[in-house]
Amino acid sequence: MSTSASADPSSDQQRPPRRNPHMMGTFASMVLSTIVVATVVLAFFALVARPDTVARPSVDVPSVVTEARRSTGWQLSQLEGLGEGWAANSARLEPEADGLRTWHVGYVREGGEQEYVALDQTAKATDGWVTAQLKGRAAAGAMSVGGVPVDSYTDPSNGACTLVRRGGDGLTTVLESTGSCAVAAAHAAKMSPALR
């Protein structure tokens, strides 16, 4: 009587599980996957539009200055007729140096070299307030804008000019420009109401 060998139940447990051939990556397949992913990312990056500059919406200065005049009772100014390409990028009434409420309006002109002009006004200006507006510019002498005397200050590094009219019409006015004092005076001549 022949006896057949009985299967050993532990033999299946000793044999390692069979590996899926698709899970066994090689170095070449990893490099190929990296190239494919990088190509997709670069293609997406190339197709997405990236503007050189971000256009900022222009500020509605007339409505902001009207509200600021109403709340302060001051004859606050704005610049009008600056020319093509100029746009207001800020207009606000808020406390600044020495806690003085300050009307600020800024304008920029985009182009090859960006230009900037800003107007700051307050009542009962202190020396500290004026110094803060000057941003380290040095005294460059007195001049006249439309027959109104102003003090000029320039940045020694680039000649940019700031004009200061102290106490005119009860307000101290500071006009900061990235241009020369002649350019700043031309901007100051476009103030409405006019510099007094």
Side-chain angles (χ1 to χ4, degrees), residues 17-98:
R18 202 165 162 206
R19 296 179 70 186
N20 184 340
H22 299 294
M23 305 259 317
M24 297 180 354
T26 63
F27 180 74
S29 64
M30 181 181 70
V31 169
L32 182 62
S33 297
T34 303
I35 291 171
V36 169
V37 170
T39 302
V40 170
V41 169
L42 290 174
F44 178 76
F45 185 74
L47 294 175
V48 173
R50 292 174 306 282
D52 292 336
T53 59
V54 177
R56 296 180 182 173
S58 183
V59 176
D60 181 11
V61 177
S63 65
V64 179
V65 75
T66 298
E67 183 57 38
R69 288 172 183 157
R70 187 179 300 127
S71 69
T72 61
W74 302 342
Q75 284 298 310
L76 300 171
S77 297
Q78 60 185 320
L79 299 178
E80 295 181 344
L82 285 173
E84 187 177 344
W86 284 96
N89 68 343
S90 61
R92 61 184 179 269
L93 179 67
E94 62 184 17
E96 285 197 13
D98 290 346

Side-chain angles (χ1 to χ4, degrees), residues 132-189:
Q133 307 311 311
L134 292 175
K135 300 174 185 167
R137 294 182 177 185
M143 56 187 296
S144 176
V145 175
V148 178
V150 297
D151 295 319
S152 64
Y153 298 81
T154 56
D155 185 333
S157 67
N158 59 19
C161 186
T162 298
L163 303 178
V164 178
R165 169 67 172 153
R166 294 176 188 259
D169 205 23
L171 296 174
T172 293
T173 299
V174 176
L175 186 135
E176 175 190 354
S177 171
T178 53
S180 67
C181 286
V183 170
H187 291 321

Side-chain angles (χ1 to χ4, degrees), residues 1-5:
M1 180 170 158
S2 67
T3 59
S4 60

